[in-house]
Amino acid sequence: MTTTDHILLLGGTFEARRLAERLTGMFPAARLTVSFAGVVKDLPDLGVPTRTGGFGGAGGLADFLTRENVTLVVDATHPFAAQMSRNATRACAAAKCPLIRLERPAWHAVGGDRWHLVSSIDDAVTVLPAASRVFLALGRKEISRFYIRDDIYGLARMIEPPLQPLPAHWDLVLARPPQSLDAEIALFRAHGISQVVTKNSGGQRAYAKIEAARRLELPVIVIDRPKLPDAETATSIPELLEKTRLLLGQTGT
Ligand code: NAP
């Protein structure tokens, strides 16, 4: 590793925050820049240089990599932030910059789960049974796709308020993960939930709703992950740090 190493960490997830700390500790001589989309206003102070906002597509990112002498891109965006991950793959190829993607393992159904797998949000909208009382764990940009279902009740949970207000008879919970199993069970019971809709985000922090649905024997519509281009991947923070160490050629601490 050289003192001129510059790691660009594409963030927006809990893992990215953890990685910002770990990369700084492990590679103190390297420059680290964390990049946020700027979707969430309440950004954490990571104590490292950050930049906010899009790069202007794959071309804009490739220019950034060259201009800022980036020597490694770590893509720690959410598994459903597919556009950013696709752009990162293309930009890194164009700028001949190494890329490691952190891919948290997807959830898989276990005994007692009543999953209905769908491949898109619009499919989830379509397959919801008539007059369902639905818990929707979706983002502020995505939730409005369900508004055409005026026969359903929605309990929507997200981090910041939806871009388009919810239908008047729906309810909104603003919260970040994690939630406890007991809290999820209580929430579903309090609102008479009959269906759960979730993206297959994976990881532990957002898993309690899946367990709660299992306990309450509720059907869960699980939206499959978007397909991403091939890239060097790590499935955990330790694996990613080890791959970074090998790539940057440092012993690490
Ligand atoms: P997306 O659809 O893949 O990205 C849309 C555009 O936003 C990208 O093309 C890029 O703009 C910009 N962008 C995304 N992530 C960025 C980053 N880390 N730094 C700079 N620009 C970024 O992403 P999204 O689904 O809107 O998600 C936005 C952010 O929220 C991501 O960082 C993601 O990690 C986080 N997040 C997403 C979800 C989800 O379910 N989608 C859940 C939790 C967190 P340009 O093309 O102009 O560069």
Side-chain angles (χ1 to χ4, degrees):
M1 149 155 183
T2 70
T3 50
T4 53
D5 272 315
H6 182 186
I7 304 171
L8 175 66
L9 172 60
L10 301 173
T13 56
F14 176 76
E15 288 87 347
R17 275 181 262 160
R18 272 281 148 80
L19 269 173
E21 288 166 23
R22 299 294 305 275
L23 286 167
T24 313
M26 204 164 156
F27 307 103
R31 183 179 159 203
L32 174 67
T33 303
V34 183
S35 177
F36 294 109
V39 177
V40 175
K41 290 179 189 66
D42 173 25
L43 288 175
D45 178 7
L46 300 175
V48 296
T50 58
R51 63 164 302 288
T52 304
F55 295 94
L61 177 56
D63 291 345
F64 179 94
L65 300 180
T66 307
R67 192 173 62 242
E68 297 292 330
N69 297 311
V70 174
T71 50
L72 172 65
V73 174
V74 173
D75 177 3
T77 57
H78 190 271
F80 280 73
Q83 191 57 50
M84 189 66 249
S85 292
R86 289 182 187 125
N87 289 353
T89 314
R90 282 177 53 204
C92 286
K96 299 191 171 29
C97 178
L99 166 71
I100 310 176
R101 185 190 299 147
L102 181 63
E103 266 187 16
R104 50 165 106 121
W107 295 321
H108 296 283
V110 300
D113 281 334
R114 297 174 58 198
W115 283 18
H116 184 148
L117 302 175
V118 295
S119 55
S120 69
I121 290 183
D122 291 328
D123 287 349
V125 173
T126 308
V127 302
L128 271 175
S132 306
R133 293 186 63 84
V134 192
F135 176 73
L136 297 156
L138 293 163
R140 63 198 302 248
K141 288 193 287 186
E142 300 151 340
I143 194 75
S144 62
R145 312 258 277 277
F146 288 82
Y147 296 176
I148 57 166
R149 288 295 305 266
D150 54 14
D151 60 312
I152 65 170
Y153 160 80
L155 171 63
R157 184 168 67 206
M158 58 196 68
I159 295 173
E160 289 190 359
L163 294 182
Q164 291 172 258
L166 297 183
H169 65 292
W170 287 26
D171 288 306
L172 177 66
V173 178
L174 295 178
R176 280 181 193 275
Q179 284 80 27
S180 73
L181 173 59
D182 288 347
E184 295 292 62
I185 290 175
L187 183 72
F188 293 176
R189 282 195 172 132
H191 292 269
I193 295 301
S194 65
Q195 295 271 335
V196 172
V197 174
T198 181
K199 293 181 277 193
N200 194 336
S201 298
Q204 274 307 309
R205 286 172 60 82
Y207 190 63
K209 59 179 173 282
I210 303 280
E211 292 179 295
R214 187 184 308 136
R215 288 279 186 91
L216 297 174
E217 300 181 9
L218 295 177
V220 184
I221 296 170
V222 180
I223 303 162
D224 199 6
R225 294 177 170 199
K227 300 280 171 281
L228 298 180
D230 287 344
E232 180 75 46
T233 61
T235 56
S236 67
I237 289 176
E239 188 188 352
L240 190 134
L241 291 170
E242 176 59 12
K243 288 193 169 179
T244 302
R245 191 181 66 75
L246 293 172
L247 244 158
L248 299 185
Q250 175 182 289
T251 321
T253 53

